[in-house]
């Protein structure tokens, strides 16, 4: 049974920082690309940041978070992280972690992070709320 579990969300002031964690079990983590998506009320789910499987070397960041967010993975812990700094009210959303097996995800991290948020992704977490107060 595959499990994808996010944690680390919370409420912070503008300019604050958070680290989101996504721990995966039940699959060979090394072979899975990972992504962070978010959805704010009334908006479509959008790709925030993605990282290729450990057989690749690509990452992607949405323009709105570039320079502020960092995605990284620890294969020994089967965990992908999203380090967020200089948070803004516009970052308020539910953040979801997704896993997609190499070969089901097409192209580079940019390609499968900016396409449909469902195509190519095999498993999704339950989401964690991030709220940034102005």
């Amino acid at each position: 049974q595959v499990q994808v579990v996010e944690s680390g969300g919370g409420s912070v002031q503008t300019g604050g920082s958070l680290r989101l964690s996504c721990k995966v079990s039940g699959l060979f983590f090394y072979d899975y690309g990972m992504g962070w998506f978010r959805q704010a009320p009334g908006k479509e789910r959008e790709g925030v940041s993605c990282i290729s499987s450990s057989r690749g070397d690509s990452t992607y960041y949405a323009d709105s978070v570039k320079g502020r967010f960092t995605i990284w993975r620890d294969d020994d812990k089967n965990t992908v992280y999203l380090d967020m700094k200089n948070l803004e009210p516009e970052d308020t959303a539910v953040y979801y972690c997704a896993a997609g097996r190499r070969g089901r995800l097409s192209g580079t991290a940019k390609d499968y992070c900016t396409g449909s948020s469902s195509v190519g992704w095999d498993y999704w977490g339950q989401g964690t709320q991030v709220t940034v107060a102005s």
Side-chain angles (χ1 to χ4, degrees):
Q1 183 176 342
V2 174
Q3 291 186 305
V4 180
V5 181
E6 305 102 327
S7 62
S11 182
V12 299
Q13 297 294 118
T14 298
S17 300
L18 286 172
R19 171 176 285 178
L20 303 185
S21 300
C22 174
K23 186 173 179 62
V24 181
S25 61
L27 53 77
F28 190 43
F29 185 69
Y30 186 92
D31 281 332
Y32 280 76
M34 302 297 299
W36 286 100
F37 298 80
R38 67 186 181 188
Q39 187 168 25
K43 295 184 178 180
E44 294 293 311
R45 186 174 296 183
E46 63 173 336
V48 177
S49 183
C50 294
I51 187 167
S52 68
S53 80
S54 293
R55 297 183 184 272
D57 61 0
S58 65
T59 57
Y60 167 80
Y61 298 93
D63 288 344
S64 60
V65 307
K66 194 172 299 181
R68 300 188 297 119
F69 291 10
T70 302
I71 189 170
W72 58 285
R73 59 191 294 154
D74 186 339
D75 287 349
D76 291 336
K77 296 182 177 179
N78 284 7
T79 301
V80 64
Y81 302 90
L82 186 67
D83 291 340
M84 306 183 294
K85 65 178 182 180
N86 297 324
L87 284 161
E88 304 168 351
E90 292 73 21
D91 296 316
T92 296
V94 178
Y95 284 71
Y96 297 91
C97 177
R101 188 176 184 179
R102 177 184 58 86
R104 288 183 54 81
L105 297 174
S106 299
T108 65
K110 178 180 179 180
D111 295 318
Y112 46 78
C113 212
T114 59
S116 171
S117 61
S118 61
V119 174
W121 298 102
D122 297 304
Y123 306 102
W124 292 84
Q126 79 288 349
T128 185
Q129 176 72 48
V130 171
T131 302
V132 184
S134 60

